[in-house]
Amino acid sequence: MTIQTETNELQVQYYLSKEGDVPFWDHPLMYGHRKLPKNYRPFVNVEQTINAYQRKLLDEKDFTVLKVVGDAIAANEDQIRRYLISKMSRSEASKILERLRRNGFVDRWHCRLENDETEEIRPPAPFTLGIAGYKLLKHFYPETPFMNPNSWDNHNIKTLQRYVAMNELRCLLIESRTTKGWVWNGVLDHNRAIKKPLGTALVSTPKADINLIIERAQMSQDFVGFLRGKLHQWKKVFEVKRSLPIQGVTETVPIVVIYTSTLSVAEHIHAQLMLDTYPFTVWLCVEEFFEEHGLAKSCFAPQGQEVKRMYLDFFDKA
């Protein structure tokens, strides 16, 4: 089922969930902006951030939270608390995030829907690295490509939406205790001209390790054309290498995962691209089933004219 509406003079097509709605982190009407805290006094250079660290204005837990935010690129508060559950309570994580905002170590974002004037939907706020957090982490981890906070001024808000959505899948993979590594925007076949997957996860299964090469489809974009271009390039690599090697990830069995918010998006993608005709295995992972079914029963295999649910028991929580 689809609905068409006019947004910013562009026609947006909605692919609804079984409940008749659109998950927030794929909603084309989402908007957002940074929300500064009271008594905001940001540190803006390396010297200030290192001085704060040396004076122990940040303790070990503060630094842990900061690193989690940096590694996630953009994650909402609930996801960050889940990442940290083995280190601290949910309330403690929230208190640390709030404290880190004051000096610009992290930034908090206010995100809502344009047509929700009464703000009935209030999702957990996303967090990204602030200027102080970026300066400090780049000092200690110079080889890690953390997102420069200035870059968000050049990115569409949909980029933040896209990373938060991906972090939900990343959270579930970590909670399943199957993930042995994760790389954002990994370089494929040592060729930066090839379109990169948004994320790659090295996953352990009872039979063998597999590489989940993951791309997110967003309703606000021409996701069919976007995926067609990427899959075409990846197909060329696979036909030569019989693999999809990603820089920084152990090479093993590749499985391309197209991650969608709703089943109707997944079905439309398969109808347009005939995913079972590609030389590599393709799975469709559907966000709308996460809460009820968990990750193990939220993936589908394209077969003929249909997509059929799989039961990936190795994703059941340990």
Side-chain angles (χ1 to χ4, degrees):
M1 181 177 181
T2 62
I3 295 175
Q4 292 187 339
T5 186
E6 292 293 327
T7 305
N8 298 328
E9 301 181 354
L10 294 175
Q11 193 175 68
V12 177
Q13 190 160 331
Y14 286 58
Y15 295 84
L16 304 183
S17 70
K18 295 294 185 181
E19 301 299 323
D21 59 13
V22 177
F24 185 88
W25 300 110
D26 194 18
H27 206 296
L29 295 183
M30 194 202 89
Y31 72 94
H33 55 80
R34 289 184 181 90
K35 191 168 185 178
L36 301 181
K38 296 179 180 179
N39 302 319
Y40 183 56
R41 295 190 179 92
F43 299 144
V44 296
N45 57 47
V46 174
E47 290 80 8
Q48 287 178 312
T49 61
I50 295 176
N51 183 51
Y53 181 77
Q54 291 176 336
R55 291 168 54 203
K56 300 191 182 300
L57 297 181
L58 282 77
D59 62 21
E60 184 178 342
K61 286 188 175 181
D62 295 334
F63 198 87
T64 297
V65 172
L66 186 61
K67 183 65 163 54
V68 165
V69 173
D71 289 341
I73 299 181
N76 67 40
E77 187 167 356
D78 177 67
Q79 293 165 347
I80 294 169
R81 294 189 299 189
R82 286 159 62 193
Y83 283 138
L84 291 162
I85 196 64
S86 64
K87 305 289 186 181
M88 63 192 72
S89 69
R90 293 171 65 89
S91 61
E92 186 177 12
S94 293
K95 289 177 182 178
I96 292 174
L97 284 168
E98 187 62 27
R99 187 168 67 251
L100 291 174
R101 289 177 67 205
R102 296 174 193 167
N103 296 120
F105 286 101
V106 300
D107 288 330
R108 181 180 179 180
W109 292 72
H110 175 88
C111 294
R112 295 291 187 270
L113 298 181
E114 292 177 6
N115 60 351
D116 186 9
E117 295 180 0
T118 61
E119 296 190 353
E120 293 182 10
I121 300 175
R122 298 186 179 188
F127 283 83
T128 59
L129 281 183
I131 187 65
Y134 175 75
K135 296 286 187 182
L136 186 62
L137 288 183
K138 284 300 288 183
H139 176 76
F140 285 106
Y141 304 95
E143 75 289 352
T144 302
F146 297 111
M147 179 73 87
N148 188 323
N150 293 328
S151 299
W152 293 111
D153 296 332
N154 301 320
H155 285 299
N156 189 296
I157 189 65
K158 305 303 181 185
T159 302
L160 182 137
Q161 186 182 38
R162 184 177 173 84
Y163 276 106
V164 174
M166 276 290 283
N167 268 297
E168 189 58 33
L169 177 54
R170 183 169 172 257
C171 268
L172 291 173
L173 287 169
I174 290 173
E175 289 168 345
S176 73
R177 301 182 185 177
T178 60
T179 307
K180 300 168 70 174
W182 177 276
V183 171
W184 290 107
N185 302 296
V187 176
L188 181 59
D189 196 28
H190 301 285
N191 187 346
R192 294 185 180 277
I194 297 174
K195 295 179 179 180
K196 302 172 185 176
L198 185 56
T200 303
L202 177 60
V203 170
S204 176
T205 78
K207 293 184 178 180
D209 287 351
I210 57 176
N211 277 335
L212 301 184
I213 299 171
I214 309 165
E215 193 51 70
R216 171 73 173 185
Q218 295 284 131
M219 287 188 205
S220 56
Q221 69 181 160
D222 171 19
F223 55 82
V224 171
F226 172 76
L227 290 168
R228 180 182 284 116
K230 285 204 171 188
L231 294 176
H232 177 69
Q233 288 190 337
W234 299 355
K235 178 182 177 182
K236 286 185 173 181
V237 173
F238 189 87
E239 287 174 342
V240 174
K241 296 289 182 93
R242 306 312 300 174
S243 182
L244 294 173
I246 303 290
Q247 188 172 320
V249 182
T250 302
E251 190 170 346
T252 183
V253 180
I255 296 177
V256 172
V257 177
I258 298 175
Y259 174 37
T260 70
S261 59
T262 68
L263 181 59
S264 56
V265 172
E267 291 173 333
H268 179 70
I269 290 170
H270 177 48
Q272 296 297 311
L273 298 182
M274 297 180 291
L275 298 173
D276 56 342
T277 64
Y278 284 88
F280 40 73
T281 301
V282 180
W283 292 347
L284 291 149
C285 184
V286 182
E287 179 187 352
E288 70 169 295
F289 298 118
F290 284 172
E291 185 173 353
E292 181 179 357
H293 298 290
L295 182 57
K297 296 181 181 179
S298 296
C299 293
F300 294 75
Q303 294 181 12
Q305 302 298 313
E306 302 178 328
V307 298
K308 296 187 177 181
R309 172 172 271 146
M310 301 183 290
Y311 176 40
L312 304 174
D313 58 353
F314 50 86
F315 282 140
D316 276 331
K317 290 183 179 180

